[in-house]
Amino acid sequence: MASGISVDIFGPDLAVVMVQAGWGVEHKDTIVNALKETTGINDVRVRVGWDRVNKDHGGEGLKEGWIEDEKEGEEDGTSFTIMENGVKYLYNPGETQKTGFYTDQRDNRSLLSSLCSGKSVLDLCCYVGSFSLNAVVNGGARSTTGVDSSAKAVGLAADNARVNGVEGKCTFLKDDVGKFMKRMREEGESWDVIVLDPPKLAPTVKGLSRAVTKYTTLNRDAVKLISPSGGILLTCTCSSAMTNGGSDGNLFTETVVKAVRNAGRTGRVLKKTHTAGCHAGGGEYLTALTVAIDPIEGDGGEGEEEV
């Protein structure tokens, strides 16, 4: 990873470059050739990530998406099977967001699986189902429900469950997560473990105030769906402005603590984690908090940071 460039390598056959700076587009050929020489991978594809490539980095006329001369095979549906943490995924870079798979969450998915034995799991903003699949395949979860607003993502998640032979334990639904949580509260539903991994809500510091409100609401509503007997919330932000803001750079933690209180629950922040080790150097844009939510009749217990 470098400023404005990230590379995901999917096994021995494919590398995908995510370009978020105009200089990356300008030197695309050099970057691609260097990757081929270094990795021995011949299929290297380049995707432009943000409109700010145009606005801030001199990428005049570029739109988000694949650079045409680097997307061979996308139109004919070329796909790959990739594996992470022993879980298989069907992968077509032309059918998914960014590089197609969020490798930066690898360690957090593994962490989640260690908390799910015999539990019911709700996976909010589930994308292609990676947290759900880790919970079942590696964690022995009793059941998982994944929710995402993208029909394409939900379809891929269901396909991935079938590839891993766990479709009977995984349900994936297309829905707005906010509306879904409201409906589930009204119906009295709850889960033992909840994952909340929304898209970037604060792309820049300018949008931070609005993002804090949104993160507070989403986390509050998720906590309200934790089982009355207690459970776990794994909540994430991929907005560096959230990770680095607030007092002592703990704005996201402060926001989640407030959300738990607003939900009328108590608990403890057990762990704060960031990206997988292969993303060293820029890893703190992603923050995940593992929060133990106490039973409704509980006294708060002991822990590293009480909410």
Side-chain angles (χ1 to χ4, degrees):
M1 176 181 289
S3 178
I5 294 249
S6 61
V7 179
D8 284 345
I9 296 177
F10 300 99
D13 302 315
L14 175 68
V16 177
V17 182
M18 190 74 180
V19 176
Q20 300 181 84
W23 70 264
V25 177
E26 181 181 352
H27 298 286
K28 170 181 68 70
D29 292 341
T30 300
I31 293 167
V32 168
N33 290 334
L35 274 171
K36 289 180 178 180
E37 182 178 344
T38 302
T39 65
I41 295 173
N42 290 321
D43 193 350
V44 179
R45 310 186 190 193
V46 180
R47 184 178 175 91
V48 177
W50 302 103
D51 287 340
R52 72 168 183 252
V53 169
N54 293 340
K55 297 174 182 176
D56 300 337
H57 298 287
E60 185 176 353
L62 291 170
K63 297 184 181 298
E64 183 165 346
W66 298 97
I67 294 180
E68 290 300 321
D69 59 355
E70 297 296 337
K71 64 176 284 188
E72 304 147 359
E74 304 303 337
E75 294 178 354
D76 66 7
T78 298
S79 61
F80 304 80
T81 299
I82 61 175
M83 181 177 288
E84 178 200 80
N85 295 338
V87 180
K88 297 177 183 177
Y89 300 91
L90 297 174
Y91 172 77
N92 183 332
E95 293 293 323
T96 45
Q97 302 169 12
K98 295 191 176 180
T99 64
F101 188 78
Y102 293 99
T103 59
D104 53 1
Q105 287 278 30
R106 181 181 66 247
D107 293 349
N108 292 324
R109 288 189 277 263
S110 182
L111 170 63
L112 174 80
S113 69
S114 70
L115 304 170
C116 293
S117 180
K119 306 295 186 181
S120 60
V121 179
L122 176 60
D123 184 4
L124 297 168
C125 305
C126 67
Y127 190 41
V128 297
S130 54
F131 276 109
S132 292
L133 292 169
N134 273 266
V136 173
V137 174
N138 295 322
R142 181 173 76 250
S143 64
T144 66
T145 301
V147 184
D148 201 281
S149 60
S150 166
K152 186 174 290 185
V154 167
L156 285 168
D159 289 341
N160 288 331
R162 285 191 289 272
V163 166
N164 288 277
V166 294
E167 62 269 37
K169 291 188 175 183
C170 298
T171 300
F172 294 103
L173 306 171
K174 178 189 177 299
D175 206 340
D176 175 87
V177 295
K179 294 177 180 178
F180 173 84
M181 287 193 284
K182 182 177 185 294
R183 191 168 66 250
M184 292 301 100
R185 288 199 309 276
E186 293 171 349
E187 295 178 7
E189 297 290 341
S190 65
W191 283 264
D192 301 315
V193 178
I194 296 180
V195 181
L196 176 61
D197 186 21
K200 184 178 289 187
L201 300 178
T204 65
V205 174
K206 184 177 180 181
L208 194 54
S209 177
R210 183 177 178 180
V212 167
T213 299
K214 186 66 173 175
Y215 279 115
T216 303
T217 299
L218 286 171
N219 281 278
R220 178 201 66 196
D221 292 350
V223 171
K224 287 182 177 181
L225 292 177
I226 292 285
S227 171
S229 60
I232 294 289
L233 171 69
L234 177 64
T235 180
C236 309
T237 177
C238 57
S239 300
S240 58
M242 286 295 300
T243 295
N244 299 318
S247 62
D248 301 321
N250 286 315
L251 180 57
F252 186 56
T253 302
E254 294 167 2
T255 300
V256 173
V257 166
K258 179 180 178 181
V260 173
R261 290 174 177 161
N262 288 353
R265 302 290 292 265
T266 61
R268 291 144 292 141
V269 177
L270 299 177
K271 198 166 189 177
K272 178 190 287 188
T273 50
H274 300 286
T275 63
C278 59
H279 287 69
E284 290 200 2
Y285 67 87
L286 170 66
T287 294
L289 296 178
T290 304
V291 185
I293 303 299
D294 296 318
I296 288 179
E297 298 296 326
D299 61 5
E302 298 177 356
E304 294 181 9
E305 182 174 346
E306 189 169 337
V307 173

